[in-house]
Amino acid sequence: MNDLVISGLLILALFLILGSGVWIGLTLSGVAWIGMQWFVSRPAGDAMAVTIWGSSSSWTLTALPLFIWMGEILFRTRLSEDMFKGLAPWLRCAIFAAVSGSSAATCATIGKMTLPELMRRGYPEPMVIGTLAGSGTLGLLIPPSIIMIVYGVAAEVSISKLFIAGVLPGVLLSALFSGYIVYWAWRHPDQVPKADSAPSLLDKLKASSSLMPVLLLITAVLGSIYAGVATATEAAGLGVVGAFVLSLSQGSLNVKSFKESLLGATRLYCMIALILAGAAFLTLSMGYIGLPRHLASWIGGLGLSRFELIVVLMLFYVLLGCFLDGISMVVLTMGVIMPTVQAAGIDPIWFGIFIVFVVEMAQITPPVGFNLFVLQGMTGRQLTYVARVSMPFFALMMLALLILYFVPGLATWLPAQMKL
């Protein structure tokens, strides 16, 4: 049976199971089991047990529930409200642009704090959800990016240069997101909450005192990672302890808020962990079937121009992102794609940033965009609704990718200044 038929059957199975109302994680596992059972000789049950256990017992994954718990503590106490009190006098309508994250886990963490607060302030739900879905992908361009590390190893490219190459494209994407939000607010003034009277500089500085504790906590957590003092898991533990100390010092942590934060973090992590387990099994199934490698080989044999190759690769990776996580996309295809990319004269540093962009786009591409699942679980909205309100930010990512193609120096100029 050829790859096109297999792909069609698996996509059909995915939509049928999703349409029946089965949980997302179980749906991914079910499609993976169908692929293993029908098209692979290895026993599906054995593969499922080993893969799900391996993905669930990873030590690296320990950081995830800790970061979520930190977000729950901030959300259940007055710390999140204080953060917005400190930000609002400075940002006002641009407060949307402050909602950013480094992954689906951070999307969940930040979303726990920002969604209720923005809704309480009267911002329209479609813009709140869409902004969080789009900006939650920005962190993939910010070191230490796991995708960049995986690509650097697979493509034999300097990881340090990849890290610095993501700075200007990240600024570009942030500017596009912020510009769209400002434009939307200008076109829909009736939907933007009325701003208070413009505060004086002294009033702004006084309000900023509410922001300082949370800002110091974030600085400590991120600074410990960037400085190499702590791993992500250790930094997450530091974040939980710091959130406890801050909430205790302000007197907003009690037995009730402690239980609510712990149960809230447990529920949210279980949802994400189930999706991660299903995605890991689906990744294994796709690898055994060989679909990513076969599709990559097919693209390499088309004989396209440089621009046509980039367009096809963008479509290919976005489509692949409907089935695989970003790391698996890179690992399974890079060995075949890189010779084609180098033959076309494409800079491998630039191509690394391109890969990050398309992986970001896949994060909010239905039906298996991971950020969409996280936001669906937090808001209770239909996946189609979350995907629809996220589409403007998907379009902005495509625009950024187009700018990056015609102005490649955005990704290559800074690395060229490094003496490595």
Side-chain angles (χ1 to χ4, degrees), residues 4-254:
L4 185 61
V5 175
I6 294 176
S7 301
L9 288 174
L10 293 179
I11 292 173
L12 178 62
L14 179 69
F15 279 105
L16 287 176
I17 300 175
L18 277 176
S20 66
V22 177
W23 290 350
I24 302 298
L26 298 180
T27 297
L28 298 178
S29 297
V31 173
W33 186 88
I34 292 172
M36 293 288 292
Q37 190 71 22
W38 288 4
F39 308 114
V40 178
S41 59
R42 179 177 177 179
D46 170 70
M48 180 170 63
V50 172
T51 305
I52 292 179
W53 171 255
S55 66
S56 304
S57 60
S58 170
W59 170 251
T60 307
L61 201 60
T62 309
L64 181 57
L66 290 174
F67 275 125
I68 294 174
W69 194 12
M70 182 183 74
E72 281 284 342
I73 295 170
L74 297 178
F75 168 61
R76 302 289 177 181
T77 61
R78 292 202 313 268
L79 290 172
S80 61
E81 185 178 346
D82 288 347
M83 180 181 69
F84 276 87
K85 285 180 181 178
L87 284 172
W90 297 96
L91 301 179
R92 299 175 73 180
C93 290
I95 197 169
F96 278 131
V99 184
S100 62
S102 61
S103 65
T106 308
C107 181
T109 303
I110 301 299
K112 269 292 181 181
M113 295 185 293
T114 55
L115 278 172
E117 189 67 26
L118 288 172
M119 296 297 293
R120 186 186 67 78
R121 288 172 176 263
Y123 288 97
E125 185 185 52
M127 279 298 292
V128 173
I129 297 176
T131 302
L132 184 59
S135 59
T137 67
L138 282 170
L140 294 178
L141 284 167
I142 301 173
S145 168
I146 296 177
I147 293 295
M148 288 186 182
I149 295 173
V150 171
Y151 171 82
V153 172
E156 298 181 353
V157 175
S158 168
I159 295 173
S160 298
K161 288 190 175 182
L162 283 172
F163 279 175
I164 197 170
V167 172
L168 293 181
V171 172
L172 169 66
L173 194 55
S174 300
L176 289 175
F177 284 172
S178 300
Y180 169 73
I181 293 163
V182 171
Y183 173 76
W184 178 91
W186 175 69
R187 288 295 304 271
H188 304 88
D190 56 313
Q191 298 187 45
V192 178
K194 297 298 181 183
D196 301 328
S197 58
S200 65
L201 178 60
L202 182 60
D203 291 334
K204 289 182 178 181
L205 292 175
K206 287 181 179 179
S208 297
S209 62
S210 301
L211 176 63
M212 291 309 296
V214 178
L215 185 61
L216 289 174
L217 176 62
I218 294 173
T219 302
V221 172
L222 296 181
S224 64
I225 296 175
Y226 291 164
V229 177
T231 65
T233 302
E234 292 167 344
L238 173 65
V240 171
V241 173
F244 269 124
V245 171
L246 291 178
S247 55
L248 281 171
S249 64
Q250 70 169 196
S252 60
L253 182 68
N254 50 42

Side-chain angles (χ1 to χ4, degrees), residues 15 318 322 361-362 364-369 372 383 387 391:
F15 279 105
V318 169
C322 293
M361 293 165 68
I364 57 173
T365 303
V368 196
L372 303 183
L383 186 66
M391 280 300 101

Side-chain angles (χ1 to χ4, degrees), residues 234-365:
E234 292 167 344
L238 173 65
V240 171
V241 173
F244 269 124
V245 171
L246 291 178
S247 55
L248 281 171
S249 64
Q250 70 169 196
S252 60
L253 182 68
N254 50 42
V255 175
K256 180 183 177 182
S257 58
F258 173 80
K259 288 182 178 178
E260 288 177 346
S261 68
L262 185 57
L263 290 175
T266 302
R267 284 191 293 265
L268 185 55
Y269 172 70
C270 287
M271 178 195 77
I272 296 176
L274 184 61
I275 296 173
L276 284 173
F281 185 33
L282 183 60
T283 296
L284 179 71
S285 177
M286 294 297 99
Y288 268 102
I289 294 171
L291 289 182
R293 293 189 300 274
H294 295 158
L295 289 173
S297 299
W298 174 72
I299 290 175
L302 292 178
L304 303 173
S305 67
R306 183 183 301 183
F307 182 75
E308 292 170 339
L309 177 62
I310 290 298
V311 172
V312 171
L313 286 175
M314 181 191 72
L315 296 175
F316 165 63
Y317 278 108
V318 169
L319 176 63
L320 207 58
C322 293
F323 300 95
L324 304 175
D325 63 277
I327 293 175
S328 302
M329 289 162 58
V330 173
V331 171
L332 292 175
T333 62
M334 205 49 56
V336 178
I337 290 293
M338 276 310 294
T340 304
V341 168
Q342 291 171 341
I346 298 173
D347 188 290
I349 295 289
W350 182 93
F351 189 68
I353 304 304
F354 165 83
I355 289 292
V356 172
F357 263 95
V358 293
V359 169
E360 285 179 335
M361 293 165 68
Q363 295 288 308
I364 57 173
T365 303

Side-chain angles (χ1 to χ4, degrees), residues 378-391:
M378 288 193 298
T379 62
R381 286 288 195 167
Q382 293 291 328
L383 186 66
T384 52
Y385 174 84
V386 179
R388 178 170 58 82
V389 299
S390 304
M391 280 300 101

